[in-house]
Structure formats: structure tokens, C-alpha cells
Amino acid sequence: MTRAAREGLGVGVIGAGIMGADHAKTVHRKLSGAVLTAVTDVDARRARAVADATGAAVPADGFALIEDPAVDAIVIASHDSTHAELTLAAIRAGKPVLCEKPLAPTVSESAAVVAAERDAVGDGIPLVSVGFMRRFDPGYVQLKAALRAGRVGPAVVVHGYSRGVSAGPGATSESSVTGSAIHEFDCVPWLLDSPITEVSWQAGRQSSEVDPVLRDPQVLLLRTADGVLTTVEVFLNARYGYDVRCDVVGEHGTLALTEPAVLVVDSARTHGYDYAADWRPRFAEAYRVQLQEWVDSIAAGAVSPLASAQDGLTATVVAQAMITSMHDGGRWVSVPPEAG
Amino acid sequence: MTRAAREGLGVGVIGAGIMGADHAKTVHRKLSGAVLTAVTDVDARRARAVADATGAAVPADGFALIEDPAVDAIVIASHDSTHAELTLAAIRAGKPVLCEKPLAPTVSESAAVVAAERDAVGDGIPLVSVGFMRRFDPGYVQLKAALRAGRVGPAVVVHGYSRGVSAGPGATSESSVTGSAIHEFDCVPWLLDSPITEVSWQAGRQSSEVDPVLRDPQVLLLRTADGVLTTVEVFLNARYGYDVRCDVVGEHGTLALTEPAVLVVDSARTHGYDYAADWRPRFAEAYRVQLQEWVDSIAAGAVSPLASAQDGLTATVVAQAMITSMHDGGRWVSVPPEAG
Amino acid sequence: MTRAAREGLGVGVIGAGIMGADHAKTVHRKLSGAVLTAVTDVDARRARAVADATGAAVPADGFALIEDPAVDAIVIASHDSTHAELTLAAIRAGKPVLCEKPLAPTVSESAAVVAAERDAVGDGIPLVSVGFMRRFDPGYVQLKAALRAGRVGPAVVVHGYSRGVSAGPGATSESSVTGSAIHEFDCVPWLLDSPITEVSWQAGRQSSEVDPVLRDPQVLLLRTADGVLTTVEVFLNARYGYDVRCDVVGEHGTLALTEPAVLVVDSARTHGYDYAADWRPRFAEAYRVQLQEWVDSIAAGAVSPLASAQDGLTATVVAQAMITSMHDGGRWVSVPPEAG
Amino acid sequence: MTRAAREGLGVGVIGAGIMGADHAKTVHRKLSGAVLTAVTDVDARRARAVADATGAAVPADGFALIEDPAVDAIVIASHDSTHAELTLAAIRAGKPVLCEKPLAPTVSESAAVVAAERDAVGDGIPLVSVGFMRRFDPGYVQLKAALRAGRVGPAVVVHGYSRGVSAGPGATSESSVTGSAIHEFDCVPWLLDSPITEVSWQAGRQSSEVDPVLRDPQVLLLRTADGVLTTVEVFLNARYGYDVRCDVVGEHGTLALTEPAVLVVDSARTHGYDYAADWRPRFAEAYRVQLQEWVDSIAAGAVSPLASAQDGLTATVVAQAMITSMHDGGRWVSVPPEAG
């Protein structure tokens, strides 16, 4: 091995908001074999701030970044509405791309990405990965391993809980499904090794603190091909903290993620631990490992172990079926088989 | 006060199975102001065993026990199918009666008890109490108090989990609802101060270890008049232990029952606590307090703070609606308003 | 059995402070086979308040209560300084007596009680029990049972933690040992079935919020005859809550008491449970069971399963040795063998 | 920034046992800005195995590795007895070195390293860091931050627990102090910002499963200059799992590390989580962050934020005092002031 061979992959990050800035920092400071070479944002100051801290260049826009010769691979963390067109550009450039979830807000855009990638690489190494980072979270990884190892027998019911402090601006009942619950639509089939076949949408009592354009909380029901029923509570304005959990009930036991707190405090008549205000501390390790695995697979010329474009499409198809149920009284809606 | 005045209420227990023997022991050993004076069972040996340990008499059968002058108040813990006729006999005898849940397996029998009591006492002190003991469990009591105190804001979603090691002999999909889930049908409205208005029945994946005559686990959905959605997982053959929990999600926090373990063990690469094999340790305190409160209310000539006959009827009406949903593809079924 | 035979033991309670009023309420409302017949206190109003709520008589003082024919058995919960003389009076009256810990603050007084009882009853049923209620706490009972059952192998180290919100008025370094730590001096030998043979006193850093007449916290070291080393942290002004714990480390595992919380709250970025402000909720069940066992043993003419006068003396002897160590630089001090 | 500037620091690892192989893997796969260029071990096959998996070279021995021009910085993870001479060689070569704890088993060797470094660099950037990785463990970091933030007031007592499954071969009472407890001798002063001034050694009951040449468990008492008393239980053969904890008791609350489990299992009548068999999973993140911080400081030409040679010497001086106490009946032994 010479040092040159280890020089590292040049990574460009599109989007320097909370998520993009976090990815840029991880690439710059925590990855082996990668160098942050470029960053862009619609808000030039945000891109500039990241660049100043890392030495990365600031191309004119995402498309310029994709074409930049110093960029070997691209991370897309810009607005959801831009995901598809940027991913398509990366495919055209023949460069590996990690697109934050969702691959696209609509089924048709997601399908277009899948088709474009197929046309571009055929049976070769795929170019597109999707950032369903729970697949790399130590908790979810242990959960799946324990399930596969038979520690509780075959799964019969799954309960998911996805709560945040407050919804982002502009959140609607539908975006709660396509933007937040979509993690579950990828995670549950991955966990159970079985695709989602039908879904049903149910409303909790509306929180009086939330504008009714966003039904919050929602309770989602998922049926996978293996017959397992999953309940998912999504509550974007849960106020008390960022709290994502998953319980798998098996035929002779249960598996449950714990909040990975490391410090317990006794104070003022209470015993307990703190919640974070957003998802970054909870999933910091998942994001780091996901990026490292992605970089390593590119360096090795291997297939990415991340979620694929097809996985991204499938999750979007499930989301679409869920919204159909939402708009039709909560009835069970079948997921089109082409989703899998 | 003279000692005579404190001599104590003579209590007779009908049924000396697991539950009845437990009640008899509690009356005999743990209550203030009560004396166990009689016990019966269809299996005379079981009644005899309890009598030998306590000094209680063994009348010929439940009806004889009800008529026994040494019996001031009656606990019914015999087979569910006998509850209504024995309760009616107690009403006729004008004696207070605590009937184990369910008041009766059918709506018509339950309604008959409510009508008979009304005819017997009018606006006077009711005679019938129903053994929904969760209302006296320290956990549920604290849960309700914390909810009322506004610690998490108004409830928006409730999650109940009711798991046992193995179903009793003869259990069916329907008896899982009328015999086990019925606790939730009483508990949730009591907790929320709002009646159940509609229900929907959903199947988990069937445990391969369970005869299909019993769908196990089941996931039940309850809507209360306040709009709150409750999910209840009932899994009679969960194998790993007896485990009953309840989470209330409010507008700015959650309340959750914990397994009330008092000892934690580190051993053989694991850290944790033990589950009991059945409900008695979990609800021992609830049963004791419920019986004490019942005895105290009788001694004071006051209205019983336990669930009433109407509460028993209401829970049975909800159970009936749930079974209708079960037999009709899981659709939402309205609970008849007369239930409340 | 006739009802008369179950009429119940007449119990008188001396002292109507926090502890005494709690005992009186338990006797009145929660015990089988006992009737609260009398209560006294140096503060007549406190005694009156208890009497009004229960129908008990109010004799002139503790000695009059002991002589009262309606009093079959006596609970002493008055000031520590009165314990010995009242217990001696009960012995003279030939009546069973449950004296709150400590049996007496001094070794000589405790020894006098032991001697008086021996003279009074010889080989007969002892009259004196001492209120070391941890022996009846479900947690400590399970801890001892698990240890005996060999779940973690033989004990090698024990850690005790005894924290309260704030010390009572007049607390001193010495009274922290004789009044609070004394629970550990009874509990540890009971747990290990091995007497304490030597002790050493160590100071924590003095809390700046505590008057130096009370060294707080203290760390006490106990060696039992079996070689086990016990560390006990006593912190009377721990502020955050009433928190008593015990960890037993065995040769291949550990056993630990948990705070027996039944409700967990998520709120305002935290997850946890509440502490009580004093010992009553934590040990309510222990006090109830202890009193019931005491009453039952008297009714049965059997030896009391509670701590004996000798146990009370032994704990006081250990406390004396600990104070000797405190006054002598923390050196290891042997416990005189006559203590056991 | 050019890519060349980011080419990365060449790191050589001396020792390819459990710890060294783990460090090598971390350097190779998880660090930003570092390349594993060389590895050695007294057992050539172990070095070869690491080299084959990473592309690193295998110099003849540790001294050759230190001189290798492809090695910019050195990690020493060979036998404790070799630490001092290898660290001295690295100082002579003018290269940054991260030496696993202990810096050396003896005070004199440790002092020689401190002196050599002082002679070599004067007021310049020090060359030597010591691998007290707890300083980078997320739990300890949060613990210290919470303490400094005043969440529980000033510390009054600290309790440490350091338990492993089984001691390594050749472990003695003394090596338990110099090799294991030494983590506490660095960690406690770091946590409290106050040096250890005196120590006392106490024996638990000897585990019957352990050869008496190793007293196991031991209970160590530490007094820091601020007056805080620390108790540390060290139990190398605790059997049940690898379990390191720390509780800090403050004037109005406590802070406690939790076992950072992410998965909870209900199975076979128990609820709980698993322990690892050794320290690697527990401290994997601490090791990664420590190495990254070390690499970053070297790249930046800044002072290493890791423990210094002086910190390594200080811990060894405390260990020496503890062994003196062990050999002298457990009396309190002062730590020579030159340690700090």
C-alpha cells in the first residue's frame, strides 16, 4: 500500500441545513478514507460557514458540485423536492450518490430514479443509496440480529413509536407520512425481511396545540407479507423530547430498543435521564456508520450496503398507500406489488 | 366504640379455584373488619382445603352460602357462567356482593343484573360491585392521578399491553375478548373519564404455538368519546411472563406503568428482573385494597367505590361490539349508547 | 371458630408523631385481627386527632396505656429516649410490645431490657419485638431469598445507601449512627446470617448545607464474621429524595434493590420517576406486614418473627462501636462478642 | 486545501494482542486523517494477521517501527513491562506517542519518562499521551459536564465499581491495583478536578473461585484534596459480565453512569439486557474518540487533550501508595505531593 492509494474519496455535500451540515462535519472529521471537498446550499452563507470550517470548496450549485472533478461521490441533503433531479444528475455523471430520505416525495419521481439508474448501470454496481440510517443504528442492528437469532421466536406484532418535540414549518398530515413515518416503511420490512402488503391510517385525538392541517398524533397500521401486524404511533409535536422506539413481540418473548442514555440523574425528587431535542444525538452513530460503510463500499468497488433506490421507491409507494387510507376513512389499502 | 361494633363483617366466598382461594386468604389474613365465615366450590375438596386453613364453614353450594346468616357479604369467584345467577340470588337476599369480572359473559345476563338491582334498591345503596381490580392497583391509581393533575396534558393516545404466559383451557378468540380484554374495556374509560364509542378488532400474526380456535395475539382499537385512540395488544400465550402495561400519551408527555419489580439481578451476562407466571403477584395489592375498600364501604353504609353493575354491563357491551368487529373483517363498530 | 374468638387483639399505640400516627392508622384500617383501642402522646392534641379518626381511647400517658385492660399489646413509637422505660413497663405488665428502633439509644438500657425480659419469661414466649421493618420489606425479603437460593453465589461485598431529604431537628453525627444507620446494623447480619465483628467510620466531604455538628454524609464500613465487607453511605440531607438501596455482590452475580416506582413520566426533556419525601411510601408495605405478622404471632401464641430484644441490643452495641471509631480517627473497632 | 495536505498521519501500532489489534483496526477503519502504516508484535503471526487485513508493514520490532519513516506517530499496546522503554525511544525519535495505561508499572520508570520528555521538548508541545480512555467515554464526559454544570451541587462522595468476568493470567493483588484500579486513580481526580491525597485498601471476602495470590474483590478508599471520599470496588472475577460504573453523590442529587445497553429482552420469565464479556464493546466509542482526538491534535500541532505523561506518573504514584496500604493492614497512606 502506498499513501496515495489511501488518499481518500472526495465527497461533496449538497445542502448545508441541519442535516447537511451534520453530514459535512461527519465526512470532514469522523470518516476514514474520505475528504470533504465541496459543499453547496441555496443559502450561500450556510454553505460558506461549512466551507470555512472544513476547507471545502463552494461550487455554484448542486449541479456544479456534481460535475466538480474534486467530487468523487455526492451526499444529497437539500430540500426533499430537489432529491430526484439531483440524484438523476449524479447518475448522469456516473458518480455514487447518497440521497437523504425520501428518495423523492412522489412515486413517479422515485420510479424515474430507479429507471434511470437501471439504464445507466444495468447489472453493474448501483450508483444510488438512500439514507435510511436506522439500518445502521446499533439498536436496530442488535434488534434485527436478535430476532434472526431466534431469541424471542418468530415475530407476531411490532410496535413503533416516533415522537419529536415539534414539527418543522409547513408540516401537514401527508408530510408526516412521507417525511417521518417513511422511516418505518423502510425499517419494518428490513427488520422482518417481509414487504408491507397493506396499510391503514388511524387518527389519535388531535393535540390542541397543533394546527389541524397536520393531524398529530397519527396511528398507522402495517401488515407485512408474513402476517405480522405493526402499529406505529407518529407524534411530531410530542413536546417532551425526541423519542424513537421499537418493540418486536415474538412467539415467546419481546425485543425492545431502549433510549440509549448514558447518564442518570437524581435531583429534585426525581430519578431519570434527559431526552435530546432532536434526532442528531439519538442517531449520531447511525449516521457515522452509514457514511463510513458507504465510503468503504465505493473504495472497494462493492455494492453499497445502504438502502437502494428500489428501497427508496418501495417506501414511497407505501407512503402513498397510507395517504390513500388517510383520505378514505382509514380503510385497509393494498400496497401495489410493484413496490417490492 | 365497643369491641362488638368492630367484630367484623362475615364474608363468604363462592369458588375456591386460584382466584377464589386467593380472595379467601386475603379476607382471612389481610383485611381489617372482616371475617371469612364460609366458602364453597363445585369441587368440595377445594372448598374443604380453604375451610381447613381458615375455620370457615362449607355450605352446600353458592346459594346456600348466600342464605347463610353468618354471611353478611358475598364474593363470587366461581365460573364466569355462574356469575349472573349467583349475583341475582345475592340481590334477592339483600346482601352486598362483589362479583369477579365479567359480571356475566353476555349482555343480556348483565342487563338482567342491572335491572334486578335497580328494582331491589331503587335510589338506595347499590348491592353489586364488580371486581375490576385495576382501579385499585397502585400503578393505575397513580397513572390516573397524574393524568388528572395535568402532568402530561390531555391524553391523545393510549397503549395497553396485556400478556400472559399461556391461555387457560378452552380459550377462544371470543373469550380472549370477554375474559381478558374486558379489563381494558373497564379500565380505559375509567382512566380517561370518557366512554368507549367504537371499536375495531385486528389480528396479529397467529402464534404457531397456539390452536387457531384462539386468535393470539390480537390488537384491539378503542375510540372513546373524547376522541382518544387506544391500542390494546392482548397476547394470552406470550410465554415469557405475565406482563400488563399501560402507556398514556398526552399533549406534552407520557405516563407509563412499570413492572413493579423490587429486585434486579446480574447473572450469567445479563441484567434484569423476573416476571411472575400469573397475575397474582402483579395485582396482589390491588386485590387487597379492593377488598378492604369494599368491606369498609359496607361497614360504613356507603356506596361502594368499586366498579358498579352498570360498569360491568358496559364492559360486556363493549366486548360484544368487539366480537362483532372480529366477525366482520375488523371494521369499526359503534358501541350502543345504552352501554354508558 | 366463633366470631368472638376472632374479635381481635386490642392494640395501643404510644406516640402519635409521624411514625406513631402511621402505625395507628395501619392498625385501625389495614390489619386482620386487631383493633386500635388506645393512643397517647406527650402532645395531647396529636393523640386526640388520632383518637377522633379511629374511636380509640386516650389514656393519660404511656404507662396508663400499658395498664389499660382494653390494651392487649403495645406499640411504642414515642421519642427514642423513652423506649427502654416503656418497654420495661410492658414487660412488667406481661404484655407483648413492639418497640420502634432503636430499642434504646444506649447499650446499658438495651441490655436492661434484654435482662428484664429474660427474668420475666425465661424460656417462654418472649414479649419484646423491635421494629426493624426492613426484614418485612418485599425487596429485602426477595433479596435474602435470592441470596439463600444461591442465585449469585456466596456474598463477597455489600453496598448500602441510606439517603433522606433532610435530617430531623437536633441530628448529630452520633444520632445519624444510632438512629439511622442502625437499620443497617440489623439488616446486614440478618441478610448474611453472620454477625458484625468490626466497624470503621469514614467521613464524606461535609455538605456545605449542613451544620457541622452533624457529619453528613458518612461512609461506614462493616465486617461480618463471614468475612464480607459492607460499605454503607448514610446521607441524611441528600435533598433529592428518600432513597434506600442495597446491593449484594456475590461470587458470580449481584442482587440489587430497585426503587419500587410504579409510574414513569416523560415530560420536559426528561424520563423518570418520582421520589417520595420521606420513608413512609417506600416502607408502607413493610410496616403493614410487620404489624400483621406481629399480631398473628400473638394471636397464635407463637414466637414473634420480628427482631427480638437481643437483636435490638446487638444493633445498639454495633452503633456504639461505630461511634468509638468516629471519635478515634476512623480506625477499625471490634464489636464486643457479647453483642451476638 | 489540497488532497496531499489531507493525506493523513502514518500511525504505527506496537503490540497486536486484544488491545493492540483493536487500536490497529480503529486506526485503519474509523479515523479521519490517519493511515495505519506499521504494526509489530513479539508474536510475529499476530502482527502478520493485522498487517494482512490492513496493508500495514511489519517492522522487525517496536524500536524499528518507531524509526520507520512511514510512521509519524506511535501507539504502544504491548506488555506493560515494555511501555517505558518504548515511550523513551519514541521521545528520542521526536515522534508523538500514545502509550496504553499504565505509563509504566513502577514510579521510577514513569518518572523517567516524564523527565525525558521534559528534557526533549521543554516548553514545547509534549510528545507523550497516556491511554486513560475513560476521559473520552460519552458517559464519563457527560458525568463530568453535569457535575461542572452544578446539576447536583458539589460532590461529597463518589462510588466506583469496576468488575470483569475473569482476571487475566498471572493477576495478583498488586496488579489488580496497578493494572485495573489505575483507571480510577486517573479518572476520579479528572472528574473532581482535585488530586488524590490519601488512600486506604480494604479486602472484600475472598471469592472462593480465585487463587489467593489475587485478593478479589478489593474495596479501595480514596480521599481527594477537596475532601471527597471515593469508594472503589474492584472485582476482576465477577463472572456475570464486564460492568464499570460510577456514581457521584452531590449536595443535592446524584449522577450515575448507566450500562449503555440499547436492546432489552423479555424472555423466559426475565426482563433485561446483556453484558459484554470484556471491555471492548463498553468502551469502543471512547477508544475511537480518544484516537481521533489524538490524531487531530497532532495534525493541528496542538497539545494533546489526552492524559499526559505527568498524569500517567501521578496514577502510578497513587497505585504505589495503595499497595503500601495493602501491605500495611489497610491504613490510610498519604500520596506524595510530587505526584501532582
Side-chain angles (χ1 to χ4, degrees):
Chain A
M1 190 191 73
T2 68
R3 288 201 188 181
R6 289 283 316 201
E7 189 171 86
L9 191 75
V11 175
V13 175
I14 302 174
I18 294 179
M19 189 77 255
D22 204 59
H23 283 322
K25 186 176 165 189
T26 301
V27 172
H28 179 59
R29 291 266 307 165
K30 299 186 178 176
L31 294 194
S32 176
V35 179
L36 182 73
T37 50
V39 62
T40 65
D41 195 275
V42 291
D43 179 345
R45 284 168 312 177
R46 296 202 303 192
R48 197 71 261 160
V50 171
D52 288 349
T54 62
V58 182
D61 59 19
F63 298 99
L65 180 146
I66 290 168
E67 298 301 327
D68 188 329
V71 170
D72 301 315
I74 300 112
V75 174
I76 299 175
S78 48
H79 193 271
D80 289 4
S81 62
T82 66
H83 287 186
E85 61 179 348
L86 288 165
T87 303
L88 289 168
I91 292 170
R92 282 194 302 273
K95 295 184 179 180
V97 56
L98 165 47
C99 181
E100 260 305 317
K101 62 85 206 166
L103 177 55
T106 66
V107 170
S108 60
E109 285 176 292
S110 300
V113 171
V114 169
E117 183 187 50
R118 193 187 311 115
D119 291 349
V121 305
D123 292 340
I125 302 291
L127 290 169
V128 181
S129 298
V130 181
F132 286 123
M133 81 294 178
R134 289 189 189 176
R135 296 179 179 213
F136 299 92
D137 174 67
Y140 281 97
V141 168
Q142 285 189 28
L143 184 61
K144 182 168 184 173
L147 185 60
R148 284 195 168 183
R151 286 195 63 176
V152 298
V156 291
V157 170
V158 174
H159 301 292
Y161 312 86
S162 193
R163 301 178 190 139
V165 172
S166 57
T172 65
S173 303
E174 290 78 8
S175 75
S176 177
V177 171
T178 57
S180 293
I182 199 161
H183 277 297
E184 307 283 352
F185 305 154
D186 180 70
C187 182
V188 169
W190 168 80
L191 205 54
L192 299 176
D193 280 321
S194 183
I196 295 170
T197 55
E198 53 175 354
V199 299
S200 169
W201 183 94
Q202 306 293 334
R205 190 179 68 70
Q206 176 73 3
S207 172
S208 66
E209 301 180 3
V210 180
D211 186 314
V213 70
L214 167 61
R215 287 300 309 238
D216 200 34
Q218 307 177 0
V219 174
L220 313 180
L221 306 179
L222 316 176
R223 179 84 59 191
T224 33
D226 56 9
V228 172
L229 179 67
T230 296
T231 70
V232 175
E233 179 206 314
V234 180
F235 192 6
L236 302 185
N237 293 279
R239 302 306 185 207
Y240 71 87
Y242 182 80
D243 190 11
V244 167
R245 306 192 187 210
C246 184
D247 300 348
V248 175
V249 185
E251 293 196 357
H252 46 79
T254 83
L255 302 167
L257 296 187
T258 64
E259 173 70 12
V262 293
L263 187 68
V264 171
V265 181
D266 285 317
S267 175
R269 300 284 194 285
T270 65
H271 170 95
Y273 56 76
D274 292 354
Y275 282 108
D278 70 27
W279 69 90
R280 284 171 296 174
R282 172 66 183 82
F283 286 109
E285 179 72 355
Y287 284 118
R288 183 185 71 78
V289 175
Q290 179 179 254
L291 278 166
Q292 185 72 65
E293 295 274 337
W294 179 63
V295 164
D296 290 352
S297 71
I298 297 168
V303 175
S304 160
L306 281 63
S308 67
Q310 179 62 52
D311 294 327
L313 167 59
T314 299
T316 301
V317 170
V318 173
Q320 202 51 56
M322 189 62 79
I323 289 171
T324 300
S325 176
M326 179 197 296
H327 293 168
D328 197 12
R331 71 173 174 84
W332 282 96
V333 172
S334 293
V335 176
E338 62 270 31
Chain B
M1 188 192 73
T2 68
R3 287 202 191 181
R6 289 281 317 200
E7 187 171 85
L9 191 75
V11 175
V13 175
I14 301 174
I18 294 178
M19 190 77 255
D22 204 59
H23 283 322
K25 187 177 165 189
T26 301
V27 172
H28 179 58
R29 290 267 307 165
K30 299 186 179 175
L31 294 194
S32 176
V35 180
L36 181 73
T37 51
V39 62
T40 66
D41 196 275
V42 290
D43 178 344
R45 283 169 312 178
R46 296 203 303 194
R48 197 71 263 162
V50 171
D52 287 350
T54 61
V58 182
D61 60 18
F63 298 100
L65 180 146
I66 289 168
E67 297 301 326
D68 188 329
V71 171
D72 301 316
I74 300 112
V75 174
I76 300 175
S78 48
H79 193 270
D80 289 4
S81 62
T82 67
H83 286 187
E85 61 180 348
L86 288 164
T87 302
L88 289 168
I91 293 171
R92 282 194 302 272
K95 295 184 180 179
V97 57
L98 164 47
C99 181
E100 260 305 317
K101 61 86 209 164
L103 177 56
T106 67
V107 170
S108 60
E109 285 176 293
S110 300
V113 171
V114 169
E117 184 187 50
R118 193 186 313 115
D119 291 348
V121 305
D123 291 340
I125 301 293
L127 290 169
V128 181
S129 297
V130 179
F132 286 122
M133 81 294 177
R134 289 188 189 177
R135 297 180 178 213
F136 298 92
D137 174 66
Y140 280 98
V141 169
Q142 285 188 28
L143 184 61
K144 182 168 183 172
L147 184 60
R148 285 196 168 184
R151 286 194 63 176
V152 298
V156 292
V157 170
V158 175
H159 301 292
Y161 311 87
S162 194
R163 301 178 190 139
V165 172
S166 57
T172 65
S173 303
E174 290 78 8
S175 75
S176 176
V177 171
T178 56
S180 294
I182 199 161
H183 277 297
E184 307 283 352
F185 305 154
D186 180 70
C187 181
V188 169
W190 167 81
L191 205 54
L192 299 176
D193 281 319
S194 183
I196 295 170
T197 55
E198 54 174 353
V199 300
S200 169
W201 183 93
Q202 306 293 334
R205 190 179 69 70
Q206 176 74 3
S207 171
S208 66
E209 300 181 3
V210 180
D211 185 316
V213 70
L214 166 62
R215 287 299 311 237
D216 199 35
Q218 307 178 1
V219 174
L220 313 180
L221 305 180
L222 315 176
R223 179 83 61 192
T224 34
D226 56 9
V228 172
L229 179 67
T230 296
T231 69
V232 176
E233 180 206 314
V234 180
F235 192 5
L236 302 185
N237 293 279
R239 303 305 187 209
Y240 71 87
Y242 182 80
D243 189 12
V244 167
R245 305 193 188 210
C246 184
D247 300 347
V248 175
V249 184
E251 293 195 358
H252 46 79
T254 82
L255 302 167
L257 297 186
T258 64
E259 173 71 11
V262 292
L263 186 69
V264 170
V265 180
D266 285 318
S267 175
R269 300 284 195 285
T270 65
H271 170 96
Y273 57 77
D274 292 355
Y275 283 109
D278 70 26
W279 69 90
R280 284 171 297 174
R282 172 67 184 81
F283 286 109
E285 180 71 355
Y287 284 118
R288 183 185 72 78
V289 175
Q290 179 179 255
L291 278 166
Q292 185 72 64
E293 295 274 337
W294 179 63
V295 163
D296 290 351
S297 71
I298 296 169
V303 175
S304 160
L306 281 64
S308 67
Q310 178 62 52
D311 294 327
L313 168 59
T314 299
T316 301
V317 170
V318 173
Q320 202 52 55
M322 188 62 80
I323 289 172
T324 299
S325 177
M326 179 197 296
H327 294 167
D328 198 11
R331 70 174 175 84
W332 281 98
V333 172
S334 292
V335 176
E338 61 269 31
Chain C
M1 187 191 74
T2 68
R3 288 203 189 180
R6 289 281 317 200
E7 189 171 84
L9 191 75
V11 175
V13 174
I14 301 174
I18 294 179
M19 191 76 256
D22 204 60
H23 283 322
K25 187 177 165 189
T26 301
V27 171
H28 179 59
R29 290 267 307 166
K30 299 185 178 176
L31 293 194
S32 175
V35 181
L36 182 72
T37 50
V39 62
T40 66
D41 195 274
V42 289
D43 179 343
R45 284 168 311 176
R46 296 202 303 192
R48 197 71 260 160
V50 171
D52 288 349
T54 61
V58 182
D61 61 17
F63 297 99
L65 181 146
I66 291 168
E67 297 301 327
D68 189 328
V71 171
D72 301 317
I74 299 112
V75 174
I76 299 174
S78 48
H79 193 271
D80 289 4
S81 63
T82 67
H83 286 186
E85 61 179 348
L86 289 164
T87 303
L88 290 168
I91 293 171
R92 281 193 301 272
K95 295 184 180 180
V97 58
L98 165 46
C99 181
E100 261 304 318
K101 61 85 207 167
L103 178 55
T106 65
V107 170
S108 60
E109 285 176 292
S110 300
V113 171
V114 169
E117 183 187 50
R118 193 187 311 117
D119 292 349
V121 305
D123 292 342
I125 301 292
L127 291 169
V128 180
S129 297
V130 179
F132 286 122
M133 81 294 178
R134 290 189 188 177
R135 296 181 178 211
F136 298 92
D137 174 67
Y140 280 98
V141 168
Q142 285 189 29
L143 184 61
K144 182 168 184 174
L147 184 60
R148 284 196 168 184
R151 286 193 64 177
V152 297
V156 291
V157 169
V158 174
H159 301 293
Y161 312 87
S162 195
R163 301 177 190 140
V165 172
S166 57
T172 64
S173 304
E174 290 79 7
S175 75
S176 176
V177 171
T178 56
S180 294
I182 200 162
H183 277 298
E184 307 283 352
F185 305 154
D186 180 69
C187 183
V188 169
W190 168 81
L191 205 55
L192 300 175
D193 282 320
S194 183
I196 296 170
T197 55
E198 53 174 353
V199 300
S200 169
W201 183 94
Q202 305 293 334
R205 190 179 68 71
Q206 176 74 1
S207 172
S208 66
E209 301 181 3
V210 180
D211 184 317
V213 68
L214 166 62
R215 288 300 309 237
D216 199 35
Q218 307 179 359
V219 174
L220 313 181
L221 306 180
L222 315 176
R223 179 83 61 189
T224 34
D226 57 8
V228 172
L229 179 67
T230 296
T231 70
V232 176
E233 180 205 314
V234 179
F235 192 6
L236 301 186
N237 294 279
R239 303 304 186 210
Y240 71 87
Y242 182 79
D243 190 11
V244 167
R245 304 192 188 210
C246 184
D247 300 348
V248 175
V249 184
E251 292 195 359
H252 46 78
T254 82
L255 302 167
L257 297 186
T258 65
E259 174 69 14
V262 292
L263 186 68
V264 170
V265 181
D266 284 319
S267 176
R269 300 284 194 285
T270 64
H271 169 96
Y273 57 76
D274 293 354
Y275 282 108
D278 71 26
W279 68 91
R280 283 172 297 173
R282 171 66 184 82
F283 286 109
E285 180 71 354
Y287 283 118
R288 184 185 72 77
V289 174
Q290 178 179 256
L291 277 166
Q292 185 72 64
E293 295 274 337
W294 179 62
V295 163
D296 290 352
S297 72
I298 296 169
V303 174
S304 161
L306 280 64
S308 66
Q310 178 63 52
D311 293 327
L313 168 59
T314 299
T316 302
V317 170
V318 173
Q320 203 51 55
M322 189 62 80
I323 290 172
T324 300
S325 177
M326 179 197 296
H327 293 169
D328 197 12
R331 70 173 175 85
W332 283 96
V333 171
S334 293
V335 176
E338 60 271 32
Chain D
M1 188 191 72
T2 68
R3 288 202 190 181
R6 288 284 315 199
E7 190 172 83
L9 191 75
V11 175
V13 175
I14 302 174
I18 295 179
M19 191 75 254
D22 204 60
H23 283 321
K25 187 177 164 188
T26 301
V27 171
H28 179 58
R29 291 266 308 165
K30 299 186 178 174
L31 293 194
S32 177
V35 180
L36 183 72
T37 50
V39 61
T40 65
D41 196 276
V42 290
D43 178 345
R45 285 168 311 177
R46 296 201 306 194
R48 197 72 260 159
V50 171
D52 288 349
T54 61
V58 182
D61 60 18
F63 297 99
L65 181 146
I66 290 168
E67 297 302 327
D68 188 329
V71 171
D72 302 316
I74 299 113
V75 175
I76 299 174
S78 49
H79 193 272
D80 290 4
S81 62
T82 67
H83 286 186
E85 61 179 347
L86 288 164
T87 302
L88 289 169
I91 293 171
R92 281 193 302 272
K95 295 184 179 180
V97 57
L98 165 47
C99 180
E100 262 303 318
K101 60 86 207 164
L103 178 55
T106 66
V107 170
S108 60
E109 284 176 293
S110 300
V113 170
V114 169
E117 182 187 51
R118 194 186 311 116
D119 290 349
V121 305
D123 292 340
I125 302 292
L127 290 169
V128 181
S129 298
V130 179
F132 286 122
M133 81 294 178
R134 290 188 187 177
R135 297 181 178 211
F136 298 91
D137 174 67
Y140 280 98
V141 168
Q142 285 189 27
L143 184 61
K144 182 167 182 173
L147 184 60
R148 283 196 169 183
R151 286 194 62 175
V152 298
V156 291
V157 170
V158 174
H159 301 293
Y161 311 86
S162 194
R163 301 177 191 141
V165 172
S166 57
T172 64
S173 303
E174 289 78 8
S175 75
S176 176
V177 170
T178 56
S180 294
I182 198 161
H183 276 298
E184 307 283 352
F185 305 153
D186 180 69
C187 183
V188 169
W190 167 81
L191 205 55
L192 299 176
D193 282 319
S194 183
I196 296 170
T197 54
E198 53 174 352
V199 300
S200 169
W201 183 94
Q202 306 293 334
R205 191 178 68 70
Q206 176 74 2
S207 172
S208 66
E209 301 181 2
V210 181
D211 185 315
V213 68
L214 167 61
R215 286 303 308 239
D216 200 34
Q218 307 178 359
V219 174
L220 312 181
L221 306 179
L222 315 176
R223 179 83 60 189
T224 34
D226 56 9
V228 172
L229 178 66
T230 296
T231 69
V232 176
E233 180 206 312
V234 179
F235 191 6
L236 301 185
N237 294 279
R239 303 305 187 210
Y240 70 88
Y242 182 79
D243 189 10
V244 167
R245 306 192 187 211
C246 184
D247 301 347
V248 175
V249 184
E251 293 196 358
H252 47 79
T254 82
L255 302 167
L257 297 186
T258 65
E259 173 71 12
V262 293
L263 186 69
V264 170
V265 181
D266 285 318
S267 175
R269 301 282 195 285
T270 64
H271 170 95
Y273 57 77
D274 292 355
Y275 282 108
D278 71 26
W279 69 92
R280 283 171 296 174
R282 172 65 184 83
F283 285 109
E285 180 72 356
Y287 283 117
R288 183 185 71 78
V289 175
Q290 179 179 254
L291 277 166
Q292 185 71 65
E293 295 275 338
W294 179 62
V295 164
D296 289 353
S297 71
I298 296 168
V303 174
S304 161
L306 280 64
S308 67
Q310 178 62 52
D311 294 327
L313 167 60
T314 299
T316 302
V317 170
V318 173
Q320 202 52 55
M322 189 63 79
I323 289 172
T324 300
S325 176
M326 179 197 296
H327 293 168
D328 197 12
R331 70 174 175 84
W332 282 97
V333 172
S334 293
V335 176
E338 62 269 31

